[in-house]
Amino acid sequence: MESTIHATQAVVSLDVALPGIIWGWMITLNMWAKSIGTGVILVGAFLLYRHKREEMPNLRWMMPLLAFIFLNIFLLFTLTDLHQPYRMVNIFLHPHWTSAITVGAWMASLFLLLITIMLIIGVGEELPGVPFKGCKLTAWGRNKGGLYDALFPFVVFLAIPVTLYTAIIMAESSARELWQAPAEVMQMMWAAFMAGASALILVSSNWSKEARRDLALVLAIATFFSFMMYMGEYFFSFKSAEGEATLAFVHSGGPYNIEFWFGMVLGFIIPFFIAVGNMKSDNKTLLRVAAILALVGLYMAKDVWLKIPQLLNLS
Amino acid sequence: MKLGFLVDLNLCMGCKGCEVACKVENEVPLSTWRLRVKYIDIGTFPDTSRSFTPLRCNHCESAPCERICPVSALHYLENGIVNVDSARCIGCAGCMMACPYGAIYMDPETNTADKCTYCAHRIESGMMPACVVVCPVQANIFGDIEDDNSNISQYIMEHQGAVQVRKPEKNTKPTHFYVGGGTQTLDPLAHERLEGYGLFNNVTHLEAIGDKHHSVLDRFLAPFESEEKYDNRSFVDFDNKDYKSELTQGDK
């Protein structure tokens, strides 16, 4: 940190222009979309374990559909953020296995493939005539319910490392001390539960009250623990000079102060109380509001946490 | 063999000869640097001193950039140099996020990551890096740090206790050493960067990572466009309106 005595005060008097934010909003969107993509599978699995399929009539096709849409958004923005997008193929042709980017890209691709198969089967079984009459793809999937059930445990298992690998990328980004905290791994997991529960709440209008209560429970737990972890990192990172310098950007007067606290209140505190209240008395509209707020707040929190370590000068 | 660098900051006089030689030797584009010399003023007027710190890739033995690169574009050579294969680089910027020394940049002409390679091409031909050759006071000392009789090893032994690396707490094991440095010169958090008060300009941060005209759409269209459209475009149509307005005011 800057010196407080005159004799050691140091000021840069000539230097070059330094890079600003390198990973910007596209990476925020990428992480946010992946949280939804894997979260709906994890929360969907929990619901299927707790309830009968009839209580959640559209879950069998809606769950892979949501995962498919948001995983494609995630992969699209992964690709568009590359300065040489066509060379993405090098990850498959020349993989470097110490890199979490490589391992993640392989796992996410396999995950998307399995999700696509589940989507075809789910739509084939539940929505005959979609996307059009005589579609050979969904016709193939119509009688493959057994395959869906066989694939599902693998998909749920794979959803965990696909959720977590971004935390490993952040851990490998050793220049950014804020991301080196072990809490990042659990933060990714809570984000997936939060995003998955929120996305499923938005399509749960014809589900049983009990199923919706479970969604509210997952949302309440995920927002609570995620908020607690953010607060833990916020206060305990003071022990290192770099951590403190990074968090200065979210402290009072810092450029990301408003976005951070807006995200915390909007995405964590308010949805927590609505979700807890909803476990007592079912209110679909309020729960939907909580879900939307949680998704918006999660994006803001992720955006701040991604950008602030990049504002520090490294050299 | 493990090649290493040592800079004696007591000798460096901030002539920037190494910076220019590196630019020329490696055809480093405008707005980017493989090697730069930072000026830092220490103390309070009139009791001040100016120090000069050349900064380049540290060619770490445990290089985070090499570990995070998904396609091995950043890789070790047998002599310990961390080299870049720009033809393989996908431009994910993972290495820029990983390098604790901010030594990697996105080349605005190729839109791939690049950095100091200790002039690996010159070393292959038995020559010294360009920055070493040009230094008028021999502040840059280069050689095999595993050979006890090399110039650099001898220098390190002579200055035992005064040899430092940048950010040792990162455990990257740099092969780039400094003699005569202090916290103010080597730790970026130990000196203030008063925005807009550089000697020659007030540009403090780069406008873009890589070519600023390389938008998302351009990235996908680039292979189908002629090279002329992209070659050096960032630098030809730079924004010169401040200069023009100054001229207009001067005329009045």
Side-chain angles (χ1 to χ4, degrees):
Chain A
M1 300 309 297
E2 292 97 31
S3 175
T4 50
I5 60 171
H6 286 166
T8 56
Q9 183 179 303
V11 177
V12 176
S13 49
L14 179 62
D15 197 12
V16 301
L18 298 173
I21 289 171
I22 298 163
W23 283 352
W25 66 269
M26 273 196 253
I27 300 294
T28 308
L29 191 60
N30 155 324
M31 291 197 292
W32 179 82
K34 181 160 72 76
S35 294
I36 300 175
T38 58
V40 290
I41 297 296
L42 293 169
V43 178
F46 171 70
L47 292 176
L48 285 168
Y49 177 74
R50 295 257 300 157
H51 303 277
K52 289 178 183 160
R53 269 169 59 179
E54 295 73 36
E55 290 183 47
M56 304 157 295
N58 59 357
L59 183 65
R60 204 165 160 84
W61 61 271
M62 188 56 91
M63 177 178 62
L65 177 66
L66 286 172
F68 181 81
I69 291 169
F70 285 96
L71 286 169
N72 273 294
I73 292 172
F74 148 68
L75 286 173
L76 175 71
F77 282 95
T78 304
L79 195 67
T80 49
D81 193 60
L82 299 181
H83 286 74
Q84 295 288 348
Y86 291 113
R87 292 190 193 170
M88 176 81 172
V89 73
N90 283 351
I91 289 185
F92 300 100
L93 299 179
H94 306 285
H96 185 220
W97 296 109
T98 64
S99 170
I101 299 174
T102 305
V103 178
W106 279 71
M107 285 192 307
S109 303
L110 176 63
F111 187 66
L112 182 60
L113 176 72
L114 297 177
I115 290 290
T116 308
I117 295 170
M118 284 175 62
L119 176 64
I120 293 166
I121 297 170
V123 170
E125 274 185 339
E126 310 278 335
L127 303 168
V130 174
F132 54 87
K133 266 191 176 182
C135 173
K136 285 184 180 173
L137 210 56
T138 46
W140 170 85
R142 199 156 301 145
N143 302 314
K144 297 285 190 299
L147 178 62
Y148 186 108
D149 295 332
L151 282 180
F152 192 49
F154 291 104
V155 170
V156 176
F157 176 76
L158 195 55
I160 297 169
V162 172
T163 302
L164 298 182
Y165 87 83
T166 310
I168 313 297
I169 294 176
M170 294 169 101
E172 286 190 339
S173 301
S174 26
R176 323 290 160 174
E177 198 165 294
L178 190 69
W179 301 344
Q180 308 299 303
E184 288 303 316
V185 176
M186 276 318 294
Q187 199 62 273
M188 289 286 164
M189 210 66 207
W190 289 126
F193 281 119
M194 204 172 135
S198 300
L200 289 175
I201 283 169
L202 296 175
V203 296
S204 67
S205 54
N206 60 346
W207 294 8
S208 70
K209 277 184 185 177
E210 289 72 26
R212 228 176 359 259
R213 190 188 300 147
D214 273 359
L215 280 175
L217 175 72
V218 174
L219 183 63
I221 292 174
T223 48
F224 178 79
F225 281 103
S226 191
F227 177 72
M228 283 299 152
M229 294 191 87
Y230 272 118
M231 290 303 101
E233 289 184 82
Y234 182 87
F235 289 108
F236 286 91
S237 291
F238 274 99
K239 58 182 173 266
S240 81
E242 222 172 294
E244 189 177 351
T246 307
L247 288 172
F249 295 110
V250 291
H251 289 165
S252 177
Y256 284 87
N257 174 264
I258 292 171
E259 187 181 349
F260 179 71
W261 287 110
F262 216 74
M264 287 295 118
V265 174
L266 210 65
F268 297 82
I269 297 172
I270 296 175
F272 169 75
F273 285 109
I274 295 178
V276 168
N278 216 79
M279 281 167 1
K280 277 254 178 188
S281 58
D282 185 36
N283 185 329
K284 288 181 195 176
T285 311
L286 258 184
L287 196 59
R288 274 196 211 112
V289 171
I292 292 167
L293 288 180
L295 288 173
V296 173
L298 181 68
Y299 181 92
M300 293 167 94
K302 279 188 173 293
D303 192 55
V304 171
W305 225 246
L306 178 78
K307 286 176 179 170
I308 54 173
Q310 300 181 56
L311 301 173
L312 275 191
N313 296 325
L314 297 175
S315 58
Chain B
M1 179 190 241
K2 187 164 287 166
L3 295 172
F5 233 110
L6 184 143
V7 182
D8 191 336
L9 298 179
N10 296 318
L11 297 176
C12 180
M13 55 185 188
C15 71
K16 287 180 174 277
C18 52
E19 201 174 300
V20 175
C22 173
K23 274 265 187 192
V24 174
E25 175 67 32
N26 296 294
E27 296 180 352
V28 183
L30 287 171
S31 83
T32 53
W33 293 266
R34 290 185 178 204
L35 161 63
R36 69 183 215 259
V37 181
K38 185 159 77 168
Y39 289 20
I40 299 163
D41 291 357
I42 301 168
T44 306
F45 183 81
D47 300 316
T48 55
S49 65
R50 175 164 290 176
S51 77
F52 312 103
T53 314
L55 300 166
R56 56 168 83 72
C57 170
N58 284 219
H59 294 266
C60 309
E61 283 182 54
S62 176
C65 59
E66 189 272 344
R67 198 178 314 128
I68 203 171
C69 179
V71 293
S72 300
L74 284 145
H75 56 275
Y76 284 108
L77 298 182
E78 281 182 2
N79 52 19
I81 288 175
V82 181
N83 199 28
V84 194
D85 180 356
S86 61
R88 188 178 278 194
C89 175
I90 64 173
C92 67
C95 50
M96 294 178 76
M97 303 304 289
C99 175
Y101 309 105
I104 305 174
Y105 61 91
M106 196 61 67
D107 187 313
E109 290 183 348
T110 63
N111 282 296
T112 57
D114 216 336
K115 65 173 197 66
C116 160
T117 60
Y118 280 170
C119 283
H121 58 289
R122 287 175 63 92
I123 290 160
E124 207 177 322
S125 314
M127 294 187 283
M128 286 294 224
C131 55
V132 176
V133 176
V134 80
C135 183
V137 291
Q138 295 186 12
N140 286 308
I141 297 152
F142 179 75
D144 184 2
I145 50 173
E146 283 184 339
D147 175 5
D148 288 347
N149 298 315
S150 68
N151 196 13
I152 186 169
S153 296
Q154 295 286 330
Y155 211 93
I156 290 172
M157 278 186 259
E158 279 170 26
H159 293 82
Q160 273 178 355
V163 181
Q164 290 175 287
V165 293
R166 288 159 69 198
K167 300 186 183 177
E169 73 279 4
K170 295 285 181 186
N171 201 29
T172 55
K173 299 180 186 132
T175 61
H176 189 289
F177 305 94
Y178 290 92
V179 167
T183 307
Q184 286 101 335
T185 48
L186 297 180
D187 179 359
L189 295 179
H191 44 249
E192 276 185 282
R193 189 177 280 273
L194 299 174
E195 306 289 1
Y197 291 92
L199 273 183
F200 301 138
N201 60 49
N202 59 4
V203 180
T204 56
H205 285 86
L206 295 172
E207 269 183 55
I209 306 301
D211 183 356
K212 66 178 178 181
H213 295 296
H214 201 58
S215 69
V216 167
L217 202 58
D218 288 329
R219 291 175 196 186
F220 286 93
L221 295 176
F224 310 106
E225 300 276 355
S226 66
E227 277 186 20
E228 284 165 27
K229 192 181 169 191
Y230 289 93
D231 189 31
N232 263 340
R233 209 174 67 167
S234 328
F235 313 116
V236 173
D237 58 357
F238 63 92
D239 184 2
N240 210 15
K241 61 177 181 247
D242 289 343
Y243 175 67
K244 279 177 187 162
S245 70
E246 268 177 35
L247 279 183
T248 318
Q249 283 171 353
D251 291 344
K252 285 174 186 172

